[in-house]
Amino acid sequence: MTELLPQWLLSWLGEDWSAVLAYITNGKHLAWYASLQYTLIAAFVGAALALLFGLMGAAMKQARLAPLRWIGNGYTTLVRGVPDVLFLLFFPLAFEQAVEWAIAQAVCTPEQLATATGWPLCADAQWYLSHAAYMTMACVSFGLVYGAFAANVIHGALQAVPKGQLEAAQAFGLSQRQVFWRIQVRQMWVYALPGLSNVWMLLLKATSLLSLLQIEDIVVWADRLGAPNYLAMVGAVHGDWRWKYYLVLFLFYILMTLLSEKGFNWLQARASRGMARAN
Amino acid sequence: MNKKTLLAIALVAAVSMVGSASAADKIRLGTEGAYAPYNFVNDDGKLAGFEIELGDALCAAIKAECEWVVNEWDSIIPNLVAGNYDAIMAGMSITDERKKTITFSDEYMPVDPSMYIAAKGTELSFDSLEGKRIGVQGATIHAAFAEEKYGKTNTIKSYEKADQTLADLMAGNLDTVLADGDYLKPIVEGSAGEIAFVGPQETIGGGIGIGMRQDQTDLHEKMNAGLAALKKSGKVDELIAKYFDGKGPFYGE
């Protein structure tokens, strides 16, 4: 990379700093920077899904039909109780095997099914997971786990919208659906945003678990870059530098937190437009 | 999760499956990417090393299209069995224990004695080792050996990656590390006297071979034929000499 820079800049930097610059822009480091995309995709897509599952869960929790309420309550109770690491390990594996089982029922011969001892049940039923498939599963897993938290937050926020307003809207002749979307959901954001910002922070931090799903994310690359190396053949020779790379990850996550706070303040101000204030 | 989302996910899965079905003829090679000079990620961020070059040459010899898959060491056998890739080339010694779950090709690297290292100036009496902390990489022949020989009176600490044992040795958390001699030699040489070999050499396990699932007889035959051709042409010896400081030749005529 440094060969792209003008000579005067390199001589101004001096040999040491030029070497540092060359080091932090070598292919291995560029791969590290590029792997940031997985963290960001997982965070944003995961958050969008979490919001979706959260809204659905919250709607179910206050549904008139009892079975829907059971599903909603079951979802928030069960999923919130499972550590996210476990869920991330369990869900994709269970999903993969369920799909493979379903394929096996369709493509394997009955003899193969009867005599199968290992997994998959026959070679044709093997589902090779691509990188994109793992990313999709990571996003869905994050969506499911944090959707359960979001559902609880949104459920509480929906309850916080004054009942009188809903009754008034009903009296004006709005349908149940209109009351829900235009009055209740429209106003619940003010109450939900502080809670949702907490959920977002948790989700953001959980993106450091992506490597559990064979995704080469920023943590994996930080590990690789920081690992001690004594072989010139492999690359720059250095001792255990993992702490340096972990420190960069610390700073990245703190920066993301600061930006998120700013973003949520803006959202809060926007959601509060035209709302009556008690003070 | 409601039915619609479940359906949508199943659909995405089905589509990606159709996409990967056409790639079924490809041979997927699993490796660790963290065991220099056998296999590692170089400064360009690409896989490199003895096994990477050998694997590519092997695929060219048997006229197959290959693809490398990086997998953590401790799950490298389970994920082979689960079908995430078709063969393992990751400095894996051929042992009877492993042969219970997978099968191996002929060796492409002869058996190499395992060795102990320690920080400079450390005195250890290996005949009566007691109360010491011995570092090994988990799920290796060294882990099993150390556990059996020293496990009763010493603490065996196992790590996910081989380089973590080095890091912890240098941090003073370990008294010694047991690993492949070929892995340790360049490290001792490159450590500027900080790390030294200590104690005896141990011969554990067999040579290094390609691990495959037990039902892959076709692939097994192909790989062995390819290896035989590369041994005969001197390619294997050439690569061993290149990556292991002039070692060999072992397979020349």
Side-chain angles (χ1 to χ4, degrees), chain B residues 104-140:
Chain B
F104 284 96
S105 72
D106 296 336
E107 61 165 44
Y108 55 80
M109 176 95 182
V111 63
D112 164 62
S114 299
M115 296 163 95
Y116 298 92
I117 52 167
K120 68 172 174 197
T122 311
E123 297 282 336
L124 293 167
S125 53
F126 279 86
D127 297 328
S128 56
L129 217 50
E130 216 181 303
K132 299 293 178 195
R133 289 155 301 176
I134 305 171
V136 288
Q137 187 179 13
T140 57

PDB file of all heavy atoms in Angstrom, chain B residues 104-140:
ATOM      1  N   PHE B 104      -7.348 -42.232   7.157  1.00  0.00           N
ATOM      2  CA  PHE B 104      -6.241 -41.403   6.697  1.00  0.00           C
ATOM      3  C   PHE B 104      -5.688 -41.899   5.371  1.00  0.00           C
ATOM      4  O   PHE B 104      -5.682 -43.098   5.094  1.00  0.00           O
ATOM      5  CB  PHE B 104      -5.099 -41.412   7.726  1.00  0.00           C
ATOM      6  CG  PHE B 104      -5.372 -40.574   8.929  1.00  0.00           C
ATOM      7  CD1 PHE B 104      -5.877 -41.142  10.086  1.00  0.00           C
ATOM      8  CD2 PHE B 104      -5.126 -39.217   8.911  1.00  0.00           C
ATOM      9  CE1 PHE B 104      -6.132 -40.376  11.208  1.00  0.00           C
ATOM     10  CE2 PHE B 104      -5.378 -38.438  10.030  1.00  0.00           C
ATOM     11  CZ  PHE B 104      -5.876 -39.011  11.169  1.00  0.00           C
ATOM     12  N   SER B 105      -5.165 -40.959   4.586  1.00  0.00           N
ATOM     13  CA  SER B 105      -4.424 -41.305   3.380  1.00  0.00           C
ATOM     14  C   SER B 105      -3.055 -41.812   3.817  1.00  0.00           C
ATOM     15  O   SER B 105      -2.751 -41.861   5.011  1.00  0.00           O
ATOM     16  CB  SER B 105      -4.246 -40.068   2.512  1.00  0.00           C
ATOM     17  OG  SER B 105      -3.309 -39.204   3.122  1.00  0.00           O
ATOM     18  N   ASP B 106      -2.213 -42.181   2.849  1.00  0.00           N
ATOM     19  CA  ASP B 106      -0.815 -42.456   3.174  1.00  0.00           C
ATOM     20  C   ASP B 106      -0.202 -41.176   3.731  1.00  0.00           C
ATOM     21  O   ASP B 106      -0.665 -40.079   3.440  1.00  0.00           O
ATOM     22  CB  ASP B 106      -0.058 -42.864   1.896  1.00  0.00           C
ATOM     23  CG  ASP B 106      -0.607 -44.167   1.333  1.00  0.00           C
ATOM     24  OD1 ASP B 106      -1.190 -44.939   2.117  1.00  0.00           O
ATOM     25  OD2 ASP B 106      -0.468 -44.381   0.118  1.00  0.00           O
ATOM     26  N   GLU B 107       0.866 -41.322   4.490  1.00  0.00           N
ATOM     27  CA  GLU B 107       1.471 -40.126   5.073  1.00  0.00           C
ATOM     28  C   GLU B 107       2.142 -39.270   3.996  1.00  0.00           C
ATOM     29  O   GLU B 107       2.603 -39.784   2.978  1.00  0.00           O
ATOM     30  CB  GLU B 107       2.510 -40.531   6.129  1.00  0.00           C
ATOM     31  CG  GLU B 107       3.643 -41.359   5.547  1.00  0.00           C
ATOM     32  CD  GLU B 107       4.843 -41.471   6.477  1.00  0.00           C
ATOM     33  OE1 GLU B 107       4.605 -41.702   7.665  1.00  0.00           O
ATOM     34  OE2 GLU B 107       5.979 -41.321   5.998  1.00  0.00           O
ATOM     35  N   TYR B 108       2.160 -37.965   4.208  1.00  0.00           N
ATOM     36  CA  TYR B 108       2.897 -37.087   3.306  1.00  0.00           C
ATOM     37  C   TYR B 108       4.019 -36.377   4.044  1.00  0.00           C
ATOM     38  O   TYR B 108       4.677 -35.492   3.516  1.00  0.00           O
ATOM     39  CB  TYR B 108       1.976 -36.087   2.598  1.00  0.00           C
ATOM     40  CG  TYR B 108       1.103 -35.231   3.488  1.00  0.00           C
ATOM     41  CD1 TYR B 108       1.611 -34.114   4.130  1.00  0.00           C
ATOM     42  CD2 TYR B 108      -0.246 -35.531   3.657  1.00  0.00           C
ATOM     43  CE1 TYR B 108       0.803 -33.316   4.926  1.00  0.00           C
ATOM     44  CE2 TYR B 108      -1.058 -34.745   4.448  1.00  0.00           C
ATOM     45  CZ  TYR B 108      -0.529 -33.634   5.081  1.00  0.00           C
ATOM     46  OH  TYR B 108      -1.320 -32.856   5.873  1.00  0.00           O
ATOM     47  N   MET B 109       4.193 -36.787   5.304  1.00  0.00           N
ATOM     48  CA  MET B 109       5.277 -36.232   6.111  1.00  0.00           C
ATOM     49  C   MET B 109       5.585 -37.310   7.145  1.00  0.00           C
ATOM     50  O   MET B 109       4.679 -37.763   7.824  1.00  0.00           O
ATOM     51  CB  MET B 109       4.769 -34.947   6.773  1.00  0.00           C
ATOM     52  CG  MET B 109       5.746 -34.305   7.703  1.00  0.00           C
ATOM     53  SD  MET B 109       6.675 -33.028   6.840  1.00  0.00           S
ATOM     54  CE  MET B 109       7.751 -32.520   8.161  1.00  0.00           C
ATOM     55  N   PRO B 110       6.841 -37.754   7.235  1.00  0.00           N
ATOM     56  CA  PRO B 110       7.135 -38.848   8.159  1.00  0.00           C
ATOM     57  C   PRO B 110       7.001 -38.415   9.620  1.00  0.00           C
ATOM     58  O   PRO B 110       6.978 -37.219   9.911  1.00  0.00           O
ATOM     59  CB  PRO B 110       8.573 -39.223   7.830  1.00  0.00           C
ATOM     60  CG  PRO B 110       9.146 -38.052   7.139  1.00  0.00           C
ATOM     61  CD  PRO B 110       8.026 -37.308   6.491  1.00  0.00           C
ATOM     62  N   VAL B 111       6.919 -39.411  10.496  1.00  0.00           N
ATOM     63  CA  VAL B 111       6.759 -39.124  11.924  1.00  0.00           C
ATOM     64  C   VAL B 111       7.924 -38.277  12.416  1.00  0.00           C
ATOM     65  O   VAL B 111       9.070 -38.450  12.004  1.00  0.00           O
ATOM     66  CB  VAL B 111       6.611 -40.432  12.730  1.00  0.00           C
ATOM     67  CG1 VAL B 111       7.861 -41.284  12.615  1.00  0.00           C
ATOM     68  CG2 VAL B 111       6.306 -40.141  14.186  1.00  0.00           C
ATOM     69  N   ASP B 112       7.580 -37.328  13.284  1.00  0.00           N
ATOM     70  CA  ASP B 112       8.556 -36.347  13.724  1.00  0.00           C
ATOM     71  C   ASP B 112       8.500 -36.291  15.247  1.00  0.00           C
ATOM     72  O   ASP B 112       7.408 -36.216  15.807  1.00  0.00           O
ATOM     73  CB  ASP B 112       8.156 -34.999  13.108  1.00  0.00           C
ATOM     74  CG  ASP B 112       8.844 -33.844  13.767  1.00  0.00           C
ATOM     75  OD1 ASP B 112      10.077 -33.805  13.705  1.00  0.00           O
ATOM     76  OD2 ASP B 112       8.144 -32.983  14.343  1.00  0.00           O
ATOM     77  N   PRO B 113       9.651 -36.402  15.926  1.00  0.00           N
ATOM     78  CA  PRO B 113       9.588 -36.430  17.383  1.00  0.00           C
ATOM     79  C   PRO B 113       9.015 -35.143  17.965  1.00  0.00           C
ATOM     80  O   PRO B 113       9.269 -34.053  17.453  1.00  0.00           O
ATOM     81  CB  PRO B 113      11.044 -36.627  17.802  1.00  0.00           C
ATOM     82  CG  PRO B 113      11.863 -36.366  16.605  1.00  0.00           C
ATOM     83  CD  PRO B 113      11.005 -36.552  15.405  1.00  0.00           C
ATOM     84  N   SER B 114       8.240 -35.300  19.025  1.00  0.00           N
ATOM     85  CA  SER B 114       7.699 -34.137  19.716  1.00  0.00           C
ATOM     86  C   SER B 114       8.721 -33.671  20.740  1.00  0.00           C
ATOM     87  O   SER B 114       9.509 -34.453  21.258  1.00  0.00           O
ATOM     88  CB  SER B 114       6.404 -34.510  20.415  1.00  0.00           C
ATOM     89  OG  SER B 114       5.474 -34.941  19.459  1.00  0.00           O
ATOM     90  N   MET B 115       8.726 -32.382  21.039  1.00  0.00           N
ATOM     91  CA  MET B 115       9.743 -31.825  21.927  1.00  0.00           C
ATOM     92  C   MET B 115       9.137 -30.880  22.951  1.00  0.00           C
ATOM     93  O   MET B 115       8.013 -30.411  22.801  1.00  0.00           O
ATOM     94  CB  MET B 115      10.800 -31.097  21.079  1.00  0.00           C
ATOM     95  CG  MET B 115      11.549 -32.056  20.169  1.00  0.00           C
ATOM     96  SD  MET B 115      12.425 -31.217  18.864  1.00  0.00           S
ATOM     97  CE  MET B 115      14.035 -31.077  19.586  1.00  0.00           C
ATOM     98  N   TYR B 116       9.939 -30.637  23.993  1.00  0.00           N
ATOM     99  CA  TYR B 116       9.530 -29.713  25.049  1.00  0.00           C
ATOM    100  C   TYR B 116      10.315 -28.410  24.899  1.00  0.00           C
ATOM    101  O   TYR B 116      11.505 -28.436  24.586  1.00  0.00           O
ATOM    102  CB  TYR B 116       9.846 -30.286  26.422  1.00  0.00           C
ATOM    103  CG  TYR B 116       9.137 -31.573  26.743  1.00  0.00           C
ATOM    104  CD1 TYR B 116       9.729 -32.801  26.459  1.00  0.00           C
ATOM    105  CD2 TYR B 116       7.882 -31.562  27.340  1.00  0.00           C
ATOM    106  CE1 TYR B 116       9.089 -33.993  26.760  1.00  0.00           C
ATOM    107  CE2 TYR B 116       7.224 -32.751  27.647  1.00  0.00           C
ATOM    108  CZ  TYR B 116       7.841 -33.956  27.353  1.00  0.00           C
ATOM    109  OH  TYR B 116       7.195 -35.124  27.651  1.00  0.00           O
ATOM    110  N   ILE B 117       9.663 -27.291  25.154  1.00  0.00           N
ATOM    111  CA  ILE B 117      10.389 -26.031  25.221  1.00  0.00           C
ATOM    112  C   ILE B 117      10.089 -25.360  26.557  1.00  0.00           C
ATOM    113  O   ILE B 117       9.080 -25.657  27.207  1.00  0.00           O
ATOM    114  CB  ILE B 117       9.997 -25.058  24.087  1.00  0.00           C
ATOM    115  CG1 ILE B 117       8.477 -24.867  24.021  1.00  0.00           C
ATOM    116  CG2 ILE B 117      10.554 -25.514  22.749  1.00  0.00           C
ATOM    117  CD1 ILE B 117       8.053 -23.705  23.164  1.00  0.00           C
ATOM    118  N   ALA B 118      10.969 -24.452  26.931  1.00  0.00           N
ATOM    119  CA  ALA B 118      10.763 -23.683  28.158  1.00  0.00           C
ATOM    120  C   ALA B 118      11.468 -22.349  27.997  1.00  0.00           C
ATOM    121  O   ALA B 118      12.297 -22.173  27.099  1.00  0.00           O
ATOM    122  CB  ALA B 118      11.320 -24.437  29.363  1.00  0.00           C
ATOM    123  N   ALA B 119      11.128 -21.412  28.865  1.00  0.00           N
ATOM    124  CA  ALA B 119      11.812 -20.118  28.854  1.00  0.00           C
ATOM    125  C   ALA B 119      13.277 -20.367  29.208  1.00  0.00           C
ATOM    126  O   ALA B 119      13.587 -21.300  29.953  1.00  0.00           O
ATOM    127  CB  ALA B 119      11.167 -19.168  29.839  1.00  0.00           C
ATOM    128  N   LYS B 120      14.186 -19.544  28.700  1.00  0.00           N
ATOM    129  CA  LYS B 120      15.623 -19.791  28.891  1.00  0.00           C
ATOM    130  C   LYS B 120      15.964 -19.865  30.380  1.00  0.00           C
ATOM    131  O   LYS B 120      15.395 -19.149  31.196  1.00  0.00           O
ATOM    132  CB  LYS B 120      16.440 -18.700  28.201  1.00  0.00           C
ATOM    133  CG  LYS B 120      16.308 -17.338  28.850  1.00  0.00           C
ATOM    134  CD  LYS B 120      17.275 -16.343  28.272  1.00  0.00           C
ATOM    135  CE  LYS B 120      16.976 -14.968  28.866  1.00  0.00           C
ATOM    136  NZ  LYS B 120      17.552 -13.870  28.147  1.00  0.00           N
ATOM    137  N   GLY B 121      16.873 -20.764  30.677  1.00  0.00           N
ATOM    138  CA  GLY B 121      17.334 -20.899  32.053  1.00  0.00           C
ATOM    139  C   GLY B 121      16.452 -21.771  32.929  1.00  0.00           C
ATOM    140  O   GLY B 121      16.710 -21.917  34.118  1.00  0.00           O
ATOM    141  N   THR B 122      15.382 -22.338  32.357  1.00  0.00           N
ATOM    142  CA  THR B 122      14.505 -23.195  33.157  1.00  0.00           C
ATOM    143  C   THR B 122      15.116 -24.591  33.268  1.00  0.00           C
ATOM    144  O   THR B 122      15.513 -25.175  32.274  1.00  0.00           O
ATOM    145  CB  THR B 122      13.120 -23.308  32.507  1.00  0.00           C
ATOM    146  OG1 THR B 122      12.668 -22.009  32.180  1.00  0.00           O
ATOM    147  CG2 THR B 122      12.142 -23.984  33.436  1.00  0.00           C
ATOM    148  N   GLU B 123      15.202 -25.106  34.500  1.00  0.00           N
ATOM    149  CA  GLU B 123      15.703 -26.475  34.707  1.00  0.00           C
ATOM    150  C   GLU B 123      14.514 -27.351  35.075  1.00  0.00           C
ATOM    151  O   GLU B 123      13.790 -27.066  36.014  1.00  0.00           O
ATOM    152  CB  GLU B 123      16.717 -26.494  35.867  1.00  0.00           C
ATOM    153  CG  GLU B 123      17.960 -25.669  35.614  1.00  0.00           C
ATOM    154  CD  GLU B 123      18.952 -26.364  34.687  1.00  0.00           C
ATOM    155  OE1 GLU B 123      18.909 -27.612  34.621  1.00  0.00           O
ATOM    156  OE2 GLU B 123      19.738 -25.662  34.028  1.00  0.00           O
ATOM    157  N   LEU B 124      14.304 -28.394  34.286  1.00  0.00           N
ATOM    158  CA  LEU B 124      13.213 -29.314  34.581  1.00  0.00           C
ATOM    159  C   LEU B 124      13.750 -30.736  34.551  1.00  0.00           C
ATOM    160  O   LEU B 124      14.485 -31.097  33.636  1.00  0.00           O
ATOM    161  CB  LEU B 124      12.102 -29.184  33.535  1.00  0.00           C
ATOM    162  CG  LEU B 124      11.320 -27.867  33.487  1.00  0.00           C
ATOM    163  CD1 LEU B 124      10.497 -27.793  32.221  1.00  0.00           C
ATOM    164  CD2 LEU B 124      10.432 -27.728  34.706  1.00  0.00           C
ATOM    165  N   SER B 125      13.386 -31.535  35.567  1.00  0.00           N
ATOM    166  CA  SER B 125      13.800 -32.934  35.529  1.00  0.00           C
ATOM    167  C   SER B 125      12.604 -33.766  35.101  1.00  0.00           C
ATOM    168  O   SER B 125      11.654 -33.955  35.866  1.00  0.00           O
ATOM    169  CB  SER B 125      14.294 -33.379  36.913  1.00  0.00           C
ATOM    170  OG  SER B 125      13.322 -33.092  37.881  1.00  0.00           O
ATOM    171  N   PHE B 126      12.638 -34.210  33.849  1.00  0.00           N
ATOM    172  CA  PHE B 126      11.462 -34.843  33.273  1.00  0.00           C
ATOM    173  C   PHE B 126      11.187 -36.239  33.831  1.00  0.00           C
ATOM    174  O   PHE B 126      10.128 -36.792  33.626  1.00  0.00           O
ATOM    175  CB  PHE B 126      11.584 -34.865  31.748  1.00  0.00           C
ATOM    176  CG  PHE B 126      11.202 -33.549  31.138  1.00  0.00           C
ATOM    177  CD1 PHE B 126      12.140 -32.535  31.019  1.00  0.00           C
ATOM    178  CD2 PHE B 126       9.910 -33.311  30.741  1.00  0.00           C
ATOM    179  CE1 PHE B 126      11.787 -31.317  30.490  1.00  0.00           C
ATOM    180  CE2 PHE B 126       9.546 -32.088  30.201  1.00  0.00           C
ATOM    181  CZ  PHE B 126      10.487 -31.085  30.080  1.00  0.00           C
ATOM    182  N   ASP B 127      12.194 -36.831  34.551  1.00  0.00           N
ATOM    183  CA  ASP B 127      11.962 -38.154  35.133  1.00  0.00           C
ATOM    184  C   ASP B 127      11.034 -38.060  36.333  1.00  0.00           C
ATOM    185  O   ASP B 127      10.301 -38.987  36.627  1.00  0.00           O
ATOM    186  CB  ASP B 127      13.303 -38.779  35.553  1.00  0.00           C
ATOM    187  CG  ASP B 127      14.197 -39.006  34.342  1.00  0.00           C
ATOM    188  OD1 ASP B 127      13.632 -39.265  33.257  1.00  0.00           O
ATOM    189  OD2 ASP B 127      15.434 -38.901  34.468  1.00  0.00           O
ATOM    190  N   SER B 128      11.107 -36.939  37.014  1.00  0.00           N
ATOM    191  CA  SER B 128      10.272 -36.806  38.209  1.00  0.00           C
ATOM    192  C   SER B 128       9.598 -35.440  38.210  1.00  0.00           C
ATOM    193  O   SER B 128       9.764 -34.649  39.135  1.00  0.00           O
ATOM    194  CB  SER B 128      11.139 -36.961  39.456  1.00  0.00           C
ATOM    195  OG  SER B 128      12.191 -36.011  39.405  1.00  0.00           O
ATOM    196  N   LEU B 129       8.862 -35.184  37.131  1.00  0.00           N
ATOM    197  CA  LEU B 129       8.183 -33.900  37.001  1.00  0.00           C
ATOM    198  C   LEU B 129       7.008 -33.848  37.982  1.00  0.00           C
ATOM    199  O   LEU B 129       6.182 -34.738  38.024  1.00  0.00           O
ATOM    200  CB  LEU B 129       7.671 -33.749  35.557  1.00  0.00           C
ATOM    201  CG  LEU B 129       7.733 -32.356  34.924  1.00  0.00           C
ATOM    202  CD1 LEU B 129       9.115 -31.747  35.086  1.00  0.00           C
ATOM    203  CD2 LEU B 129       7.326 -32.427  33.479  1.00  0.00           C
ATOM    204  N   GLU B 130       6.967 -32.771  38.773  1.00  0.00           N
ATOM    205  CA  GLU B 130       5.892 -32.670  39.758  1.00  0.00           C
ATOM    206  C   GLU B 130       5.486 -31.222  39.957  1.00  0.00           C
ATOM    207  O   GLU B 130       6.342 -30.334  40.053  1.00  0.00           O
ATOM    208  CB  GLU B 130       6.359 -33.277  41.083  1.00  0.00           C
ATOM    209  CG  GLU B 130       5.234 -33.996  41.802  1.00  0.00           C
ATOM    210  CD  GLU B 130       5.712 -34.570  43.130  1.00  0.00           C
ATOM    211  OE1 GLU B 130       6.674 -35.348  43.120  1.00  0.00           O
ATOM    212  OE2 GLU B 130       5.108 -34.218  44.152  1.00  0.00           O
ATOM    213  N   GLY B 131       4.193 -30.993  40.007  1.00  0.00           N
ATOM    214  CA  GLY B 131       3.682 -29.657  40.278  1.00  0.00           C
ATOM    215  C   GLY B 131       3.981 -28.640  39.200  1.00  0.00           C
ATOM    216  O   GLY B 131       3.971 -27.439  39.460  1.00  0.00           O
ATOM    217  N   LYS B 132       4.253 -29.119  38.004  1.00  0.00           N
ATOM    218  CA  LYS B 132       4.566 -28.193  36.907  1.00  0.00           C
ATOM    219  C   LYS B 132       3.330 -27.960  36.052  1.00  0.00           C
ATOM    220  O   LYS B 132       2.403 -28.785  36.023  1.00  0.00           O
ATOM    221  CB  LYS B 132       5.698 -28.759  36.043  1.00  0.00           C
ATOM    222  CG  LYS B 132       6.999 -28.962  36.796  1.00  0.00           C
ATOM    223  CD  LYS B 132       7.596 -27.629  37.207  1.00  0.00           C
ATOM    224  CE  LYS B 132       8.875 -27.846  37.993  1.00  0.00           C
ATOM    225  NZ  LYS B 132       9.314 -26.646  38.704  1.00  0.00           N
ATOM    226  N   ARG B 133       3.354 -26.849  35.315  1.00  0.00           N
ATOM    227  CA  ARG B 133       2.259 -26.559  34.402  1.00  0.00           C
ATOM    228  C   ARG B 133       2.745 -26.804  32.977  1.00  0.00           C
ATOM    229  O   ARG B 133       3.678 -26.160  32.512  1.00  0.00           O
ATOM    230  CB  ARG B 133       1.795 -25.113  34.570  1.00  0.00           C
ATOM    231  CG  ARG B 133       1.061 -24.873  35.880  1.00  0.00           C
ATOM    232  CD  ARG B 133       1.146 -23.441  36.291  1.00  0.00           C
ATOM    233  NE  ARG B 133       2.553 -23.028  36.443  1.00  0.00           N
ATOM    234  CZ  ARG B 133       2.935 -21.786  36.732  1.00  0.00           C
ATOM    235  NH1 ARG B 133       2.038 -20.858  36.881  1.00  0.00           N
ATOM    236  NH2 ARG B 133       4.211 -21.492  36.868  1.00  0.00           N
ATOM    237  N   ILE B 134       2.110 -27.757  32.324  1.00  0.00           N
ATOM    238  CA  ILE B 134       2.532 -28.154  30.976  1.00  0.00           C
ATOM    239  C   ILE B 134       1.472 -27.696  29.979  1.00  0.00           C
ATOM    240  O   ILE B 134       0.298 -28.026  30.119  1.00  0.00           O
ATOM    241  CB  ILE B 134       2.708 -29.681  30.888  1.00  0.00           C
ATOM    242  CG1 ILE B 134       3.692 -30.147  31.975  1.00  0.00           C
ATOM    243  CG2 ILE B 134       3.182 -30.095  29.501  1.00  0.00           C
ATOM    244  CD1 ILE B 134       3.783 -31.645  32.118  1.00  0.00           C
ATOM    245  N   GLY B 135       1.896 -26.931  28.987  1.00  0.00           N
ATOM    246  CA  GLY B 135       0.955 -26.420  27.996  1.00  0.00           C
ATOM    247  C   GLY B 135       0.931 -27.277  26.737  1.00  0.00           C
ATOM    248  O   GLY B 135       1.978 -27.700  26.253  1.00  0.00           O
ATOM    249  N   VAL B 136      -0.258 -27.562  26.241  1.00  0.00           N
ATOM    250  CA  VAL B 136      -0.421 -28.317  24.996  1.00  0.00           C
ATOM    251  C   VAL B 136      -1.596 -27.717  24.231  1.00  0.00           C
ATOM    252  O   VAL B 136      -2.434 -27.026  24.806  1.00  0.00           O
ATOM    253  CB  VAL B 136      -0.728 -29.810  25.254  1.00  0.00           C
ATOM    254  CG1 VAL B 136       0.478 -30.540  25.770  1.00  0.00           C
ATOM    255  CG2 VAL B 136      -1.913 -29.963  26.195  1.00  0.00           C
ATOM    256  N   GLN B 137      -1.640 -27.985  22.937  1.00  0.00           N
ATOM    257  CA  GLN B 137      -2.840 -27.637  22.186  1.00  0.00           C
ATOM    258  C   GLN B 137      -3.858 -28.746  22.398  1.00  0.00           C
ATOM    259  O   GLN B 137      -3.501 -29.928  22.354  1.00  0.00           O
ATOM    260  CB  GLN B 137      -2.515 -27.482  20.703  1.00  0.00           C
ATOM    261  CG  GLN B 137      -3.700 -26.953  19.905  1.00  0.00           C
ATOM    262  CD  GLN B 137      -3.399 -26.777  18.435  1.00  0.00           C
ATOM    263  OE1 GLN B 137      -2.393 -27.265  17.936  1.00  0.00           O
ATOM    264  NE2 GLN B 137      -4.273 -26.060  17.738  1.00  0.00           N
ATOM    265  N   GLY B 138      -5.111 -28.364  22.627  1.00  0.00           N
ATOM    266  CA  GLY B 138      -6.151 -29.348  22.920  1.00  0.00           C
ATOM    267  C   GLY B 138      -6.395 -30.280  21.755  1.00  0.00           C
ATOM    268  O   GLY B 138      -6.163 -29.928  20.605  1.00  0.00           O
ATOM    269  N   ALA B 139      -6.880 -31.476  22.050  1.00  0.00           N
ATOM    270  CA  ALA B 139      -7.248 -32.478  21.028  1.00  0.00           C
ATOM    271  C   ALA B 139      -6.073 -32.874  20.137  1.00  0.00           C
ATOM    272  O   ALA B 139      -6.251 -33.229  18.986  1.00  0.00           O
ATOM    273  CB  ALA B 139      -8.417 -31.992  20.161  1.00  0.00           C
ATOM    274  N   THR B 140      -4.854 -32.784  20.666  1.00  0.00           N
ATOM    275  CA  THR B 140      -3.691 -33.222  19.895  1.00  0.00           C
ATOM    276  C   THR B 140      -3.113 -34.481  20.524  1.00  0.00           C
ATOM    277  O   THR B 140      -3.473 -34.853  21.643  1.00  0.00           O
ATOM    278  CB  THR B 140      -2.576 -32.152  19.898  1.00  0.00           C
ATOM    279  OG1 THR B 140      -2.230 -31.866  21.258  1.00  0.00           O
ATOM    280  CG2 THR B 140      -3.038 -30.872  19.219  1.00  0.00           C
TER     281      THR B 140
END
